Amino acid sequence: MCKVFDILKKILLILVGVVGVLFVVYFWNLDQKLLGWAYKQVNLIFDRKKVDQVF
């Protein structure tokens, strides 16, 4: 019976940790900041390419 409680305790600690990380990401709006950085990097890559213009 003690092993069952140990497993449940580990699962509960993992879930609390995941919820804590998700709360921090939500609270500081880190997902939008990460996407903003990613968009800047993508734009730097694609702005360097020459554009084929067809008239």
Side-chain angles (χ1 to χ4, degrees), residues 24-36:
V24 168
V25 167
Y26 171 76
F27 186 75
W28 277 301
N29 204 16
L30 295 176
D31 55 340
Q32 292 297 317
K33 291 178 183 177
L34 178 64
L35 283 178

Side-chain angles (χ1 to χ4, degrees), residues 2-35:
C2 188
K3 289 183 180 183
V4 173
F5 287 123
D6 286 340
I7 292 172
L8 288 175
K9 184 179 176 183
K10 287 180 184 180
I11 291 172
L12 183 65
L13 287 174
I14 290 170
L15 289 175
V16 167
V18 168
V19 169
V21 168
L22 289 175
F23 177 75
V24 168
V25 167
Y26 171 76
F27 186 75
W28 277 301
N29 204 16
L30 295 176
D31 55 340
Q32 292 297 317
K33 291 178 183 177
L34 178 64
L35 283 178

Side-chain angles (χ1 to χ4, degrees), residues 41-52:
Q41 300 306 314
V42 169
N43 284 333
L44 285 175
I45 292 169
F46 285 105
D47 285 345
R48 282 187 259 162
K49 289 186 174 184
K50 294 182 179 179
V51 178
D52 293 335

